[in-house]
Amino acid sequence: MKFMKLGTRPDTFFTEEATRSVISDIRSDLVIRINNINFLLHQFSLLPKCGLLQRLCSDSEDSNTVTIELHDIPGGEDAFELCAKYCYGITINLSAHNFVSAFCAAKFLRMTEAVEKGNFVLKLESFFNSCILEGWKDSIVTLQTTVKLTEWSENLGIVRRCVDSIVEKILTPPAKVTWSYTYTRKGFNKQQQSVPKDWWTEDISDLDIDLFRCIIIAIKSTYMLPPQLIGEALHVYACRWLPDATKITPPESSVSQTDDVAENHRKIIEIIVTMIPADKGSVSVGFLLRLLSIASHLGASTITKTELIRRSSLQLEEATVSDLLFPTHSSSNQHYYDIDLVAAVLDSFLLLWRRTSPAPIENSQSMRSIRKIGKLIDTYLQVVARDINLPVSKVLSVAEALPDIARKDHDDLYKGINIYLKEHPELSKTDKKRLCRPLDCQKLSPEVRTHAVKNERLPLRTVVQVLFFEQDKGSRANDQRMSAQEELLSRGKQIPLVRDKLSKLQLEQHEQTAALEAIGKTPAPSESSSRNHQKMKRTDKKIALESEKKVAREEIEEVETKDGGSSGSKINAKKMMKNRSGSDHSRDKSRDR
């Protein structure tokens, strides 16, 4: 922190009740009234440096003691006292903490170069330019003090110049940062590690929300920093100023906030939401959900809550169960967890999902997305089911919101229902049936079905359904095995018939061969005509036999295809075909001879 010391005389101001005076042998001839304080001073010390007092004293008719009221001086009596001490030459220390009030009061009193060379305003401007604006924390502290004198600070350009100085330093590459900064993250050591990219976030979080917004808007307008870095600054600021929404406390034990504090918190959260970058992932879904919980607790505007629900649903896939576990703060609800907000975010997600994925296919990004959400919600239900005051209707509002394809199986849903039944032993039969309504017994794994059959907490109707589907599944499997065996047996009976047919064809072939040989031994009237006639006969017989063999092969292949390829039938059929081919070949050979 930079300081500037002016003056060399010791402090001779003293206060007695509501009067401040200067120890002096000379009688006071100037009375300055500011609010309820009277300053008894001297004209010869103040008038040479204060143009305003010169004009007011000249208008006064009383030349002995002049009384002037300066109730509207910026900074009040403390700022005026600094200016008065400067006029007396008393030592004063100026820093970023009191610069704004001193500068505004000096401007108000017209302590400029036009009145006296080297006047107070000139020295303050020099300190502002050479020390405050050059420093990092000095600029932030000075900017923060402008809150008490907003109009004066803006008119004199203090706010604008401080913001420009701060933004310029934020945009400096981290490797070139040489000034001191605050960074209290766990595991960070300034001496051993390089400057982090978000080194500036904690220091500017000390600012008022309006000044903080000015800096963030100025940074965003440069497009030089990534959205995630701006989102981190918003996260740090929210943690610094907003109440903690993660602690689960019963509504009756929470301390009611004053209207002013609650209003300030509402203002902060609404401004933060408007500054979140539009880029998806600029802030985490956990941060968005915490803001949503706080906004609901503080009674923020509908626009703010709707925007937070929309932004949260866009990143719901990234959420964990702990992100969804925020408490309810309504005195009308006795349960701890705010399941209504989770249902609202889930509905927003499903609306967008159905709009972008009307017919998702297996293994697609859309299907993986909805399955991930289904797993998240079922795990969430397992946690909130332990809330003894959570009604069945709240559980069903979330469990039934998911479409059927969101759950590949219903094991996790069954676990959540079982936990709820265990924690609510006095639940009526009707409520038990309602609770088990979204459960599909066909989508339970064998292990879970075994547990469900023995689960005495389940309603009898659900247990019967589990038993029915288990038995039905077993009977279908037995029927399929029996039908397969019967079909194999029936097809096996067809193979001997084909074999008989092939044997008959082979016998006929041998008889025909013997007949032809006998005919060949009988003398013919004409040898050439007899040979031609026999050749034509052999050709016709050969064609007939080939066609019969082809039909036999097709029948065997058809039986083998239906049969699944019985090894015995295949071998026998192939043997017969081979034998038949061999006999035909030998017969043709003998005839040629």
Side-chain angles (χ1 to χ4, degrees), residues 496-516:
L497 296 177
V498 177
R499 291 173 180 171
D500 294 342
K501 190 172 182 180
L502 287 172
S503 300
K504 191 179 291 185
L505 288 172
Q506 190 175 9
L507 181 60
E508 291 177 358
Q509 183 180 11
H510 285 299
E511 292 176 353
Q512 291 172 1
T513 303
L516 289 172

Side-chain angles (χ1 to χ4, degrees), residues 485-501:
Q485 292 175 0
E486 291 175 357
E487 188 175 356
L488 287 173
L489 289 174
S490 64
R491 289 174 183 171
K493 292 176 181 179
Q494 297 176 7
I495 295 175
L497 296 177
V498 177
R499 291 173 180 171
D500 294 342
K501 190 172 182 180

Side-chain angles (χ1 to χ4, degrees), residues 123-134:
K123 289 181 171 58
L124 289 171
E125 286 180 343
S126 177
F127 176 65
F128 183 58
N129 294 327
S130 61
C131 296
I132 292 179
L133 294 181
E134 292 297 322

Side-chain angles (χ1 to χ4, degrees), residues 349-585:
F349 169 83
L350 293 174
L351 182 65
L352 180 64
W353 178 81
R354 291 189 180 99
R355 190 179 302 166
T356 56
S357 309
I361 59 177
E362 196 68 27
N363 294 327
S364 63
Q365 178 60 36
S366 176
M367 181 64 75
R368 289 194 294 269
S369 174
I370 193 64
R371 289 276 171 85
K372 190 173 183 180
I373 296 300
K375 181 75 173 178
L376 173 67
I377 294 301
D378 286 346
T379 309
Y380 168 76
L381 290 176
Q382 294 175 28
V383 177
V384 299
R386 291 179 169 81
D387 186 353
I388 59 175
N389 295 318
L390 187 66
V392 175
S393 58
K394 298 290 185 182
V395 178
L396 289 175
S397 66
V398 176
E400 294 182 335
L402 290 170
D404 293 337
I405 61 174
R407 296 182 175 99
K408 190 174 182 179
D409 58 65
H410 280 214
D411 290 358
D412 289 328
L413 179 60
Y414 171 81
K415 292 177 184 178
I417 292 174
N418 184 46
I419 292 172
Y420 189 89
L421 292 174
K422 184 178 180 180
E423 297 294 333
H424 301 77
E426 304 300 327
L427 205 63
S428 65
K429 292 182 179 179
T430 304
D431 286 339
K432 286 183 178 181
K433 291 179 181 179
R434 289 176 59 209
L435 183 65
C436 295
R437 188 170 60 198
L439 189 65
D440 188 351
C441 299
Q442 298 184 77
K443 292 187 176 182
L444 297 177
S445 63
E447 295 80 7
V448 174
R449 282 199 300 268
T450 303
H451 183 276
V453 170
K454 302 176 183 179
N455 192 347
E456 298 179 354
R457 288 186 286 268
L458 289 176
L460 182 60
R461 180 179 180 181
T462 304
V463 177
V464 171
Q465 286 179 351
V466 175
L467 288 170
F468 172 77
F469 288 122
E470 185 73 17
Q471 184 178 5
D472 184 61
K473 185 176 180 181
S475 63
R476 282 201 304 269
N478 291 331
D479 292 343
Q480 290 176 357
R481 286 195 296 270
M482 291 296 295
S483 61
Q485 292 175 0
E486 291 175 357
E487 188 175 356
L488 287 173
L489 289 174
S490 64
R491 289 174 183 171
K493 292 176 181 179
Q494 297 176 7
I495 295 175
L497 296 177
V498 177
R499 291 173 180 171
D500 294 342
K501 190 172 182 180
L502 287 172
S503 300
K504 191 179 291 185
L505 288 172
Q506 190 175 9
L507 181 60
E508 291 177 358
Q509 183 180 11
H510 285 299
E511 292 176 353
Q512 291 172 1
T513 303
L516 289 172
E517 289 176 353
I519 293 171
K521 295 177 181 178
T522 305
S526 174
E527 187 176 354
S528 62
S529 62
S530 176
R531 284 179 183 175
N532 291 335
H533 180 71
Q534 289 179 1
K535 188 180 290 185
M536 290 176 64
K537 270 188 169 183
R538 285 199 300 269
T539 304
D540 293 340
K541 295 284 185 179
K542 191 174 183 180
I543 292 172
L545 289 172
E546 290 295 334
S547 63
E548 289 179 358
K549 286 162 65 178
K550 184 177 181 181
V551 172
R553 286 195 193 96
E554 291 177 352
E555 290 181 356
I556 290 173
E557 290 176 358
E558 182 180 359
V559 172
E560 288 178 352
T561 303
K562 293 181 180 178
D563 192 7
S566 174
S567 60
S569 62
K570 286 181 181 179
I571 294 170
N572 293 332
K574 288 179 181 178
K575 273 185 178 181
M576 294 174 69
M577 293 299 298
K578 187 176 181 181
N579 293 334
R580 184 170 181 175
S581 300
S583 62
D584 291 344
H585 180 69

